[in-house]
Amino acid sequence: MAKSIQDFLVELDTNSKLMEAYKSDPVATAKKYGLSADEVKIIADKNWDELSKRFDDTSKTIRVISY
């Protein structure tokens, strides 16, 4: 299974060695992690808006369940 940019960001949050590598060279770290060329480009371009869209779930309908 290919690793996604979401997996990468979660791993960055929990893996201090990966975070240090990312701080030194974000693009090389993303490539080494196995992200797709499109996802590496998001990091290279610092396209935080696109990254936010991938995590944004506000377009989903909120479902209220009451018991």
Side-chain angles (χ1 to χ4, degrees):
M1 186 172 130
K3 296 182 179 179
S4 72
I5 198 164
Q6 290 91 344
D7 296 332
F8 180 63
L9 294 175
V10 169
E11 185 76 17
L12 275 177
D13 192 42
T14 59
N15 182 332
S16 61
K17 288 183 181 181
L18 185 65
M19 178 57 85
E20 289 305 314
Y22 178 81
K23 287 178 182 177
S24 296
D25 190 344
V27 175
T29 304
K31 286 180 183 177
K32 186 176 179 183
Y33 188 78
L35 297 184
S36 70
D38 288 340
E39 292 175 328
V40 170
K41 185 171 179 359
I42 290 170
I43 291 172
D45 294 346
K46 297 181 180 180
N47 187 350
W48 310 135
D49 290 334
E50 177 60 29
L51 191 59
S52 292
K53 286 180 197 173
R54 293 180 183 227
F55 284 98
D56 186 15
D57 63 356
T58 57
S59 63
K60 295 179 182 175
T61 304
I62 298 172
R63 202 170 79 174
V64 177
I65 300 172
S66 54
Y67 297 96

